[in-house]
């Protein structure tokens, strides 16, 4: 395959891990970051010790503080930034882009003020004339394991399947298998809402409730995710795939998961502000819980687990009391139609 230049906006763990994959595939990844220390370390030492300790990056991975330099001549621009920075960065990207480009985003969240998915935020901020296509790359993946070249699977979702296949071709290799899908809504809903359930899984483990409780939480959590997803236009089958149950499993069960780790500390009695300070990285489930709590009420969708986690996060609800209330709800039939 002819080497292609790919710009990656964001010098965090996931952006850096994806750059490593692209370099392994003989492409030319350029990471754009806004911190001198990290950009210089990537360029000079071929490491990103803050986000991916002990990983040596291929020398083909470059980094720059200039957005214009990063995207110039790039076939694909990958947006790998926290969701709270999405609008600001996309405004800058819109100014810097000179020709239509395939955009790929890997950020998982819902904007609290608007209830918009990240692709919708991008579409509002980047002119349609500057977007060849917008692809969501998502699935059960920890950057730490991708950087170690452990087997991983993702899904490239786009209404334009030819664009999804281009992204598939650039990233697929013996360590990273990429599928395609046309359900963008489902991919984004699954990727965002699983972070809320992962917070709950961490809380459950922090309380010492064991495997039975976590299995129940994950199963009923997926029912909530599917319920909301279908209400806003997703294909329910998407939630049985990589961007649904796959992403939920990996985020609820791994110590690599920021959301699980944050929930675990909450379950052990720490308060939210202290937890977020200790994490030192964005915990997307907190912001998403705030967004989805209001969104579900607006749509009149029953999401009791999400509501309970919101109460723990923002209303100082005692975690054990929240679990007792969940367990004591009125009887229901499990099988649901969405």
């Amino acid at each position: 395959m002819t080497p292609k230049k790919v710009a990656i906006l964001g010098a965090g763990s996931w952006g850096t891990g994806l750059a490593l994959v692209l370099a392994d595939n003989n492409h030319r990844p350029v990471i754009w970051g806004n911190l001198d220390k990290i950009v210089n370390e990537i360029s000079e030492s071929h490491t990103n010790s803050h986000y991916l300790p002990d990983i040596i990056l291929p020398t083909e991975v470059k980094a720059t503080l200039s957005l214009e330099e990063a995207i110039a001549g790039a076939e694909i621009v990958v947006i790998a930034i926290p969701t709270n920075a999405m609008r600001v960065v996309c405004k800058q990207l819109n100014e810097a882009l000179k020709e239509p480009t395939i955009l790929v985003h890997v950020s998982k969240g819902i904007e609290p003020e608007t209830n918009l998915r990240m692709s919708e935020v991008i579409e509002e901020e980047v002119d349609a004339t500057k977007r060849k296509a917008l692809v969501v790359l998502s699935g059960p993946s920890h950057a730490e394991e991708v950087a170690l070249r452990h087997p991983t699977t993702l899904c490239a979702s786009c209404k334009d399947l030819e664009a999804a296949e281009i992204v598939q071709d650039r990233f697929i290799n013996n360590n990273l298998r990429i599928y395609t899908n046309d359900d963008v809504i489902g991919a984004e809903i699954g990727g965002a809402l699983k972070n809320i359930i992962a917070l709950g899984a961490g809380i459950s483990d922090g309380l010492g409730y064991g495997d039975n409780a976590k299995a129940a939480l994950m199963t009923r959590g997926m029912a909530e995710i599917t319920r909301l997803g279908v209400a806003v236009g997703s294909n329910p089958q998407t939630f049985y795939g990589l961007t649904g149950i796959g992403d939920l499993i990996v985020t609820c069960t791994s110590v690599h998961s920021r959301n699980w780790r944050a929930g675990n500390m909450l379950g052990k009695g720490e308060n939210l502000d202290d937890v977020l300070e200790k994490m030192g990285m964005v915990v997307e489930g907190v912001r998403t819980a705030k967004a989805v709590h209001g969104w579900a009420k607006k749509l009149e969708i029953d999401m009791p687990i999400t509501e309970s986690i919101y109460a723990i996060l923002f209303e100082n609800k005692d975690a054990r009391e929240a679990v007792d209330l969940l367990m004591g709800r009125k009887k229901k039939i499990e099988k649901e139609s969405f």
Side-chain angles (χ1 to χ4, degrees):
M1 184 182 295
T2 303
K4 302 291 185 179
K5 180 181 178 182
V6 178
I8 299 175
L9 311 189
S13 55
W14 197 209
T16 306
L18 290 173
L20 181 150
V21 171
L22 289 163
D24 282 351
N25 290 354
N26 297 315
H27 295 302
R28 297 180 287 114
V30 180
I31 298 172
W32 171 71
N34 61 358
L35 295 177
D36 289 22
K37 181 180 178 181
I38 291 177
V39 167
N40 291 338
E41 182 185 345
I42 293 171
S43 298
E44 297 169 8
S45 303
H46 310 297
T47 59
N48 188 344
S49 56
H50 180 73
Y51 289 103
L52 292 175
D54 305 320
I55 297 296
I56 303 299
L57 300 172
T59 56
E60 291 80 7
V61 175
K62 308 298 182 183
T64 179
L65 292 165
S66 168
L67 178 59
E68 289 77 11
E69 180 183 343
I71 67 173
E75 178 198 36
I76 295 171
V77 174
V78 178
I79 305 171
I81 58 173
T83 60
N84 60 4
M86 185 64 75
R87 280 197 184 274
V88 172
V89 170
C90 284
K91 287 179 188 293
Q92 297 175 45
L93 178 62
N94 189 53
E95 292 297 318
L97 278 172
K98 302 305 180 186
E99 56 187 27
T101 306
I102 296 174
L103 305 184
V104 177
H105 93 77
V106 297
S107 304
K108 299 173 180 179
I110 303 293
E111 188 174 58
E113 300 80 10
T114 63
N115 299 328
L116 293 179
R117 294 172 284 107
M118 288 303 102
S119 67
E120 294 176 307
V121 173
I122 295 168
E123 287 170 345
E124 284 194 349
E125 299 298 342
V126 180
D127 295 343
T129 56
K130 298 183 177 183
R131 294 183 267 113
K132 280 187 179 179
L134 178 53
V135 181
V136 179
L137 187 62
S138 187
S141 50
H142 292 305
E144 298 85 349
E145 295 184 5
V146 170
L148 290 168
R149 299 176 174 86
H150 289 177
T152 302
T153 54
L154 296 173
C155 188
S157 300
C158 185
K159 296 173 185 176
D160 179 353
L161 282 177
E162 288 187 10
E165 287 169 1
I166 290 172
V167 174
Q168 181 184 46
D169 288 341
R170 301 299 176 261
F171 284 93
I172 196 168
N173 60 29
N174 288 340
N175 305 312
L176 185 63
R177 182 168 175 79
I178 311 292
Y179 292 83
T180 59
N181 191 349
D182 64 356
D183 185 7
V184 173
I185 298 174
E188 291 189 287
I189 293 295
L193 271 62
K194 56 89 182 180
N195 286 328
I196 304 173
I197 307 305
L199 282 168
I203 291 169
S204 178
D205 286 337
L207 290 168
Y209 281 154
D211 295 338
N212 293 353
K214 186 157 65 174
L217 184 98
M218 292 168 65
T219 305
R220 295 309 304 165
M222 181 49 68
E224 291 191 11
I225 292 171
T226 307
R227 203 177 298 141
L228 186 140
V230 170
V232 297
S234 307
N235 182 337
Q237 290 186 329
T238 299
F239 299 104
Y240 296 110
L242 292 169
T243 61
I245 192 67
D247 212 353
L248 182 71
I249 290 169
V250 79
T251 312
C252 288
T253 62
S254 174
V255 294
H256 291 311
S257 167
R258 299 175 195 176
N259 294 280
W260 180 91
R261 296 203 312 270
N264 191 250
M265 287 188 272
L266 291 168
K268 290 177 178 176
E270 299 189 44
N271 68 62
L272 180 60
D273 289 340
D274 289 343
V275 167
L276 295 179
E277 184 176 351
K278 287 180 180 179
M279 291 295 296
M281 292 185 279
V282 174
V283 180
E284 289 286 6
V286 174
R287 190 169 188 259
T288 304
K290 181 180 288 187
V292 174
H293 175 259
W295 196 14
K297 287 188 176 300
K298 182 179 178 181
L299 296 175
E300 298 184 347
I301 296 172
D302 186 32
M303 300 186 73
I305 295 173
T306 299
E307 187 173 337
S308 296
I309 293 169
Y310 176 88
I312 293 168
L313 293 173
F314 301 109
E315 296 175 349
N316 296 315
K317 170 74 79 175
D318 178 79
R320 291 186 187 276
E321 182 182 348
V323 173
D324 289 343
L325 289 172
L326 280 171
M327 294 298 290
R329 292 180 304 126
K330 67 179 182 179
K331 297 183 294 182
K332 293 183 68 176
I333 297 172
E334 183 188 27
K335 186 177 180 181
E336 302 180 48
S337 59
F338 297 105

